[in-house]
Amino acid sequence: MTRFLRENGLSLFFGTILVMALAGQAVAGLAEFNDQQLVAGLQPLTMRDYLLSSDFAVDVAENWQSEFLQFLLYIYATVWLLQRGSSESKELDRRGHESDQDQLVGPHATDRSPAWARAGGWRLAIYSRSLSIMMGSIFLLSWLAQSIAGRASYNAQQLSQYSDPVSWLGYVSSADFWSRTLQNWQSEFLAVAAMAVFAIYLRQRGSPESKPVGAPHDSTGLEG
């Protein structure tokens, strides 16, 4: 058990604080929602009903889709785009998909390489892009979930104000949908840009996200 915890500490840590953050969001969100219900003269919801509501779903989905979009763009952009001096960038002479030898695929694969890395054809083509495919798929599913839950929440508000509900296409072209979406996107893009630039000049000893403390500012692609 000790070995398992040590070797999986990063995923266990973030998985734990994810559950804690979701629980905190549910408690705070329910309190806010029920305050609004009481002001409007409506019945408050139980925790179970709130967790199954479109209001909770849209709040979760709109954050998830922006996070996975951030990683999708970051993964793909760092194949081709470089940042001199940043540990978040590849070395300046390694732009692009790199050679089969560098990537340990096909005849250059080792005995411990994944089976699809040793294969050729469509299996290697898919596996070579599997990370961005997965991130892109989760982003699209989260964005779809946001649009469906957001529409339900928006239409509930419309009906409470004796206004007409909107279709799904009407909602995804509405200001409400894009306001929710873009306020999350801009924060993710800011965070990535800040990390890429700060990593040129600032250090965190022992972190693979930082260069070694004594590395020159213009060293690119080094990990500490």
Side-chain angles (χ1 to χ4, degrees):
M1 178 59 72
T2 301
R3 180 179 179 183
F4 175 81
L5 293 174
R6 177 171 58 85
E7 294 181 351
N8 298 277
L10 193 59
S11 57
L12 290 172
F13 171 72
F14 279 100
T16 300
I17 62 174
L18 167 63
V19 172
M20 293 172 62
L22 280 172
Q25 177 186 349
V27 172
L30 176 62
E32 181 184 16
F33 184 86
N34 281 342
D35 284 345
Q36 295 173 352
Q37 290 288 95
L38 293 174
V39 169
L42 301 174
Q43 288 293 322
L45 295 184
T46 64
M47 177 60 77
R48 177 182 178 278
D49 290 337
Y50 178 69
L51 291 177
L52 297 175
S53 71
S54 59
D55 286 78
F56 181 73
V58 69
D59 287 343
V60 172
E62 72 182 43
N63 283 287
W64 286 21
Q65 59 88 4
S66 64
E67 297 294 341
F68 283 101
L69 174 64
Q70 173 196 46
F71 281 109
L72 171 64
L73 294 178
Y74 187 70
I75 290 165
Y76 196 76
T78 51
V79 174
W80 301 99
L81 303 180
L82 308 170
Q83 180 61 57
R84 181 179 177 87
S86 178
S87 59
E88 299 299 306
S89 168
K90 294 195 295 187
E91 296 174 14
L92 299 178
D93 60 350
R94 298 185 64 185
R95 179 177 179 272
H97 287 141
E98 303 178 9
S99 68
D100 288 355
Q101 183 175 2
D102 290 334
Q103 290 292 308
L104 301 177
V105 298
H108 304 285
T110 69
D111 292 339
R112 298 185 61 196
S113 297
W116 281 30
R118 297 194 299 268
W122 63 270
R123 287 181 296 174
L124 178 58
I126 290 176
Y127 192 67
S128 297
R129 298 164 177 81
S130 56
L131 184 58
S132 57
I133 290 172
M134 177 59 72
M135 292 295 184
S137 298
I138 298 175
F139 159 65
L140 291 175
L141 289 173
S142 300
W143 205 18
L144 178 62
Q146 177 196 342
S147 69
I148 294 172
R151 174 182 174 248
S153 177
Y154 182 80
N155 280 342
Q157 185 178 17
Q158 288 287 96
L159 292 172
S160 70
Q161 298 173 352
Y162 304 103
S163 300
D164 293 333
V166 299
S167 65
W168 180 80
L169 286 176
Y171 180 68
V172 296
S173 61
S174 70
D176 182 82
F177 177 76
W178 284 104
S179 175
R180 285 178 173 270
T181 298
L182 293 173
Q183 70 178 344
N184 284 280
W185 286 8
Q186 54 87 13
S187 63
E188 305 302 336
F189 300 155
L190 173 62
V192 172
M195 183 63 190
V197 175
F198 290 165
I200 299 173
Y201 303 103
L202 306 178
R203 309 286 190 269
Q204 180 58 55
R205 184 169 184 157
S207 175
E209 299 303 311
S210 167
K211 293 186 289 191
V213 176
H217 290 324
D218 61 356
S219 296
T220 306
L222 296 181
E223 294 182 351

